[in-house]
Amino acid sequence: MRRTTVRILKELQALASWQATGTRAFTLKQHQHAPHSQLTNTTTHSRGRLYTTQRRNQSSCSCLSATTFAAPKTTVKYQPLLGQTCRAFTTSGIRRQERGDGSKDKDTASDSPKSTRSGSTSSVRLTSDLPTRVRMVLDTPGVFPKDLAPDTGKEPSREIRQSFGTTYGGNYKLQWEEGPRTVLIIKKPNDELTDKAVVEVASWIHTKYPHMNVVVEPDVAQEFWKQLPFVYTIPENEQSEYARVTDLAVTLGGDGTILHTSSLFQSAVPPVISFSMGTLGFLLPFHINNYQAALEKLIETQQASLLLRMRLKCTLHGADGRRLQAKDGSGHINDLTVMNEVNLHRGRYPHLTWIGCYVDGHLITEAVADGLIVASPTGSTAYSLSAGGSIVHPSIQSLLLTPICPRSLSFRPVLLPPNATIQLKIGEKSRGPAEVSMDGKETFFLDKNEFLQVCMSAFPMPCVNRVHAGEDWIKDINDLLKWNQGFLNKQSMSHYMSD
């Protein structure tokens, strides 16, 4: 293939030279493995002149054939044989891959249909045909003293919201007005175990609760359309459909799958039940082996115990304070909601970055460091913890500001109230732009005097947990993080670790 590509480039150079003079005709060499009996002549017009090239018959055993140049377009096009793969080149590079039978190669197109399915299969189902989510009531289960119990309103709503000071360390009780109608299943990508699990779980829900609608992401629907012909998916570029129709979200994977689920809902998130199939499982109270019992309890009782995990709302601003515009000119970058943390760091640049830290418009310090992390309570046990930040209980509303390798040894992590607005501004002394990462992705670049603004989001991540959810968190920090575990600690915590 490499030799063929070199030959093509040489022929392109010869063509360019021929075009410049306008007088030099040129003929391609025959493929070295092609017998002369398998070649036929083809006459082509170019600039009012005739030149002849040779083309391989369809009976040839090789993929490559002699090539016809259309001089005005400077295009090289191979005539492939039936059932074999080759490429079409232009002077600007590879255009696309095609097969000799006219279909696209597997690298560029799936064998599953885009809009309809022929034969015995049905049309692709879109969530635009589904009703909106069921209304629900959020209440406290009576664990608060009366003078401290948050006022949830107890009015039916299709959204779960969170305001300042509405958790106080307790769980919430969710009651659907009627049984959940639509369930969204999110799986870990490129994983054989979750591939099998998504087919099993979706098929079980469809069989046991045929009145329920099962929604998956478009790539999953395309990959498993034969095994799961009954599933729905969102229309193209209509991510808001997830929030409109989903009554319950099911995640199959690890903590990263939950973070991905959070990114699908920039506004209100439905209740999320997570089954452990990943590498860590810090946010996963249920194991995949118990999925039937856990889902039966939710669907049939129409109730759930929830822990509202606070999320962060992030915006990007230019030096003049206005919202940054998208590079494609489609408008300003929308509000971005993250579950773990937003990270402003120096990226690939070797120099420390200068970041001005403002809280509610007041400068508190100028950080000279590799970067800064603004973490939620849930994110306090992620990147922030590795950078020396504190562990914060997920029900405590707060913003955690943690430096990454600061130049000053006295720069310690700071815990801020949930109603604070944090601004991280790139200083004039910075030698290069800073990168913005959100939950390990969503990377942007900020130049000097541009800033990132972070505050508490009104839309938490409502995670389904077990009745005694306080034990989940204690078990996680001891069993997974090995928090302060000496020999005596392991003995005293054995009743948690053995569950």
Side-chain angles (χ1 to χ4, degrees):
M1 185 63 185
R2 182 177 299 176
R3 293 180 179 175
T4 304
T5 304
V6 172
R7 180 173 59 82
I8 292 172
L9 293 176
K10 290 182 179 179
E11 293 169 350
L12 283 174
Q13 292 174 356
L15 173 61
S17 176
W18 171 76
Q19 285 184 307
T21 60
T23 59
R24 179 183 178 185
F26 107 44
T27 305
L28 292 178
K29 294 181 179 180
Q30 301 173 6
H31 193 276
Q32 59 180 351
H33 298 295
H36 189 270
S37 59
Q38 293 181 349
L39 297 176
T40 59
N41 293 335
T42 301
T43 302
T44 307
H45 290 269
S46 175
R47 294 188 179 180
R49 305 185 182 189
L50 297 177
Y51 68 95
T52 302
T53 59
Q54 294 180 318
R55 182 178 59 195
R56 184 185 304 276
N57 287 335
Q58 293 296 321
S59 59
S60 171
C61 61
S62 174
C63 173
L64 296 178
S65 64
T67 306
T68 301
F69 278 132
K73 296 182 180 180
T74 65
T75 301
V76 183
K77 186 175 182 180
Y78 285 108
Q79 301 292 332
L81 304 181
L82 184 63
Q84 296 192 6
T85 304
C86 60
R87 298 188 178 186
F89 292 83
T90 66
T91 51
S92 60
I94 298 175
R95 186 175 66 202
R96 64 179 178 178
Q97 280 190 319
E98 294 182 346
R99 298 182 66 86
D101 56 2
S103 63
K104 293 183 179 180
D105 187 72
K106 291 184 179 180
D107 292 338
T108 57
S110 172
D111 57 355
S112 61
K114 295 294 183 182
S115 58
T116 60
R117 296 170 184 166
S118 60
S120 60
T121 56
S122 60
S123 300
V124 172
R125 298 184 175 190
L126 299 178
T127 55
S128 53
D129 300 328
L130 298 181
T132 56
R133 63 170 64 172
V134 176
R135 297 204 303 173
M136 47 199 164
V137 177
L138 195 64
D139 193 12
T140 56
V143 298
F144 298 103
K146 292 183 179 180
D147 57 336
L148 294 179
D151 182 14
T152 58
K154 300 182 181 179
E155 292 294 331
S157 174
R158 289 187 172 89
E159 294 184 344
I160 298 178
R161 289 178 172 263
Q162 189 176 36
S163 57
F164 305 135
T166 55
T167 54
Y168 295 97
N171 291 344
Y172 283 84
K173 178 183 177 182
L174 176 77
Q175 178 72 55
W176 282 286
E177 280 194 328
E178 54 183 289
R181 292 183 296 227
T182 303
V183 55
L184 169 66
I185 302 180
I186 304 295
K187 65 173 289 293
K188 179 181 179 181
N190 305 319
D191 183 80
E192 184 177 355
L193 291 178
T194 55
D195 287 349
K196 296 178 180 179
V198 70
V199 173
E200 179 180 345
V201 173
S203 300
W204 179 83
I205 293 176
H206 180 67
T207 302
K208 188 171 181 64
Y209 305 100
H211 65 282
M212 294 189 66
N213 309 303
V214 180
V215 180
V216 296
E217 293 182 277
D219 57 339
V220 177
Q222 186 175 6
E223 182 179 359
F224 297 99
W225 66 275
K226 291 183 179 179
Q227 300 96 318
L228 304 174
F230 52 84
V231 298
Y232 290 81
T233 190
I234 62 170
E236 186 177 2
N237 299 324
E238 293 290 341
Q239 187 169 306
S240 59
E241 278 290 286
Y242 288 128
R244 185 185 71 83
V245 304
T246 306
D247 296 309
L248 175 66
V250 177
T251 70
L252 307 174
D255 292 345
T257 309
I258 301 181
L259 298 182
H260 172 67
T261 303
S262 173
S263 69
L264 300 179
F265 298 89
Q266 295 301 314
S267 57
V269 187
V272 179
I273 182 169
S274 303
F275 295 99
S276 175
M277 298 187 68
T279 55
L280 182 58
F282 192 84
L283 305 177
L284 310 172
F286 299 95
H287 194 273
I288 187 61
N289 293 341
N290 303 322
Y291 79 88
Q292 293 186 10
L295 292 177
E296 281 179 356
K297 182 178 180 181
L298 286 179
I299 297 172
E300 296 179 5
T301 65
Q302 302 178 17
Q303 294 180 352
S305 174
L306 298 181
L307 174 63
L308 303 186
R309 292 184 177 270
M310 174 184 142
R311 298 198 297 170
L312 305 176
K313 184 179 76 172
C314 309
T315 56
L316 302 173
H317 301 262
D320 56 0
R322 291 185 295 182
R323 298 285 293 273
L324 289 184
Q325 300 292 312
K327 293 182 179 179
D328 59 3
S330 60
H332 68 73
I333 299 174
N334 295 326
D335 295 348
L336 300 165
T337 306
V338 299
M339 184 176 176
N340 263 2
E341 76 276 315
V342 55
N343 176 21
L344 183 63
H345 57 96
R346 62 182 176 89
R348 68 177 183 272
Y349 295 95
H351 309 288
L352 297 177
T353 184
W354 294 66
I355 304 174
C357 303
Y358 297 81
V359 176
D360 296 331
H362 301 285
L363 177 67
I364 60 172
T365 188
E366 187 174 39
V368 182
D370 281 351
L372 287 174
I373 301 170
V374 181
S376 67
T378 298
S380 68
T381 51
Y383 192 4
S384 176
L385 182 63
S386 300
S390 302
I391 296 178
V392 183
H393 193 281
S395 66
I396 298 177
Q397 295 179 355
S398 57
L399 301 174
L400 184 58
L401 181 63
T402 306
I404 305 173
C405 300
R407 185 175 67 178
S408 172
L409 297 180
S410 62
F411 191 178
R412 311 311 302 161
V414 179
L415 202 63
L416 298 170
N419 59 341
T421 299
I422 300 175
Q423 291 181 359
L424 303 181
K425 186 176 182 180
I426 308 302
E428 286 283 354
K429 297 181 181 180
S430 289
R431 299 188 183 183
E435 294 186 18
V436 181
S437 300
M438 302 180 181
D439 281 347
K441 57 181 182 178
E442 297 287 359
T443 299
F444 303 89
F445 290 87
L446 295 181
D447 292 321
K448 294 179 181 180
N449 295 319
E450 294 180 339
F451 64 90
L452 164 73
Q453 186 165 289
V454 186
C455 62
M456 172 182 168
S457 172
F459 303 104
M461 190 75 169
C463 297
V464 177
N465 55 19
R466 293 173 289 189
V467 177
H468 303 291
E471 295 184 4
D472 288 342
W473 184 76
I474 296 173
K475 182 178 183 295
D476 286 339
I477 64 172
N478 283 278
D479 195 10
L480 296 177
L481 296 183
K482 312 298 182 184
W483 178 63
N484 193 34
Q485 280 199 13
F487 180 74
L488 295 179
N489 289 4
K490 289 183 179 180
Q491 287 184 331
S492 62
M493 298 302 300
S494 58
H495 62 288
Y496 287 115
M497 299 173 63
S498 60
D499 291 341

